[in-house]
Amino acid sequence: MRPDDWHLTEDVHDFLARAGDFLCSRPVMHNTPLTTLEKLRTRGADAYGAEATVFGRLESGGEVRAIFYRLPTQRLTLTTLSPEQADTLAARLAGLGHSFSGVTADHGTATAFAGAWQRRTGAAPVRDWRGRLHRLGTLTPPRPHPEGQGRVLGEQDQEHLMRWCREFAADVGEAVSLDAASWAGTRFAEKRYTFWETPGGMPVSMAGVNPLVGGQVRVDPVYTPAHLRGCGYAGAVTVEVSRAALAAGAKEVVLFTNPANATSNALYQRLGYVPVADFTGYTFSYDAPEAD
């Protein structure tokens, strides 16, 4: 494996023409790249900011083996790499003078690349995110099932939706501005949202889903206000959007949880979601003496 087996481009259409089949070959593990790249393909190169996104693919034997991309945030996203592949990528990117604010990937890949990047640049990796990927097996409605029903949101619900997305972001520690002016540029836009409502029509929980891409749909976010938790609403709305995704043609329905949140992990597993892999994010500190 050589560093120049990695091929870089800023053309999303050329990149997808060459790497699209590889991404679709593992829709569960590749759910985030599939969704992100579809947004760039449909909305244009500036969908995530004015600076160009950089894409890379690892080819050997005439086949794509792995990919990466770097959005204007300067954060690197990787598909699964062996330690050797992570090392050759770090060598290639360091040799080209690239700089990154961090990396996100499955735990083994992120950790291998972070170590290789530190060896070449001195940037110390500090873990800033953990996620556990689940895929839907057999959908199982919660028991007991709360009264009420799901309702897909319309334009009249936008203010309520933005307020709940702000509260969700605060709960999970995301620093994001969410108002009418900034909404389109956030990760919360372009999803289909559903409220779970009581028989009286009061919204008590919500779930969003990303567009169907490569046969997969990701459920994100799921939110219930703190004073309404413990009543089964999150489970009910998750089942509602999961069933709708399957009916719309999804072959795989996935979601991420916080591995440290035993309550949510147990809930989704009762609903039929099966853990697949742990993911990790690192921020790179270019003046810290040691890795985390």
Side-chain angles (χ1 to χ4, degrees):
M1 193 67 61
R2 302 167 303 170
D4 57 6
D5 288 334
W6 285 94
H7 305 276
L8 279 61
T9 182
E10 295 181 359
D11 185 334
V12 66
H13 299 286
D14 176 70
F15 177 72
L16 286 172
R18 298 173 184 273
D21 288 346
F22 164 75
L23 288 167
C24 291
S25 70
R26 300 185 69 191
V28 172
M29 288 294 289
H30 297 165
N31 70 89
T32 299
L34 282 166
T35 302
T36 301
L37 294 169
E38 178 66 5
K39 184 172 180 178
L40 287 164
R41 185 188 72 82
T42 57
R43 288 194 53 189
D46 61 350
Y48 289 95
E51 186 174 345
T53 297
V54 177
F55 311 96
R57 69 187 190 279
L58 174 63
E59 286 192 6
S60 65
E63 293 187 14
V64 175
R65 308 291 182 178
I67 67 102
F68 78 82
Y69 58 87
R70 187 223 65 196
L71 295 173
T73 60
Q74 302 299 311
R75 195 173 184 99
L76 193 65
T77 298
L78 310 173
T79 59
T80 300
L81 301 175
S82 68
E84 179 189 4
Q85 291 168 339
D87 192 67
T88 59
L89 176 58
R92 174 79 159 136
L93 296 174
L96 292 172
H98 285 276
S99 181
F100 304 100
S101 61
V103 63
T104 302
D106 66 89
H107 179 73
T109 297
T111 302
F113 180 84
W117 192 247
Q118 183 178 27
R119 289 192 297 273
R120 283 171 171 76
T121 68
V126 179
R127 190 167 66 183
D128 63 359
W129 180 75
R130 296 174 63 207
R132 180 161 294 155
L133 176 64
H134 296 69
R135 64 174 295 272
L136 180 61
T138 301
L139 187 61
T140 307
R143 294 289 183 266
H145 196 281
E147 292 186 347
Q149 62 183 0
R151 177 176 68 82
V152 176
L153 274 65
E155 291 184 8
Q156 73 278 8
D157 301 300
Q158 187 66 16
E159 286 297 327
H160 193 152
L161 171 61
M162 287 192 295
R163 174 162 52 85
W164 274 10
C165 285
R166 283 193 294 268
E167 293 174 7
F168 169 83
D171 273 4
V172 299
E174 291 186 25
V176 61
S177 173
L178 280 170
D179 53 31
S182 63
W183 175 258
T186 71
R187 75 174 189 85
F188 296 99
E190 299 178 348
K191 300 174 188 279
R192 180 181 175 90
Y193 288 90
T194 296
F195 279 157
W196 187 260
E197 295 184 334
T198 66
M202 181 180 76
V204 289
S205 189
M206 76 166 186
V209 294
N210 287 289
L212 175 63
V213 183
Q216 63 79 36
V217 164
R218 185 170 71 252
V219 178
D220 171 59
V222 178
Y223 176 71
T224 305
H227 67 286
L228 295 170
R229 294 171 189 169
C231 301
Y233 300 138
V237 76
T238 299
V239 167
E240 184 79 7
V241 298
S242 301
R243 184 181 289 123
L246 293 172
K251 302 300 182 184
E252 299 284 359
V253 185
V254 303
L255 55 78
F256 282 96
T257 65
N258 178 352
N261 189 328
T263 299
S264 67
N265 281 273
L267 166 64
Y268 292 122
Q269 290 178 43
R270 288 196 301 272
L271 301 180
Y273 280 88
V274 180
V276 174
D278 282 359
F279 281 66
T280 298
Y282 292 100
T283 292
F284 292 141
S285 175
Y286 288 86
D287 56 4
E290 296 182 359
D292 180 11

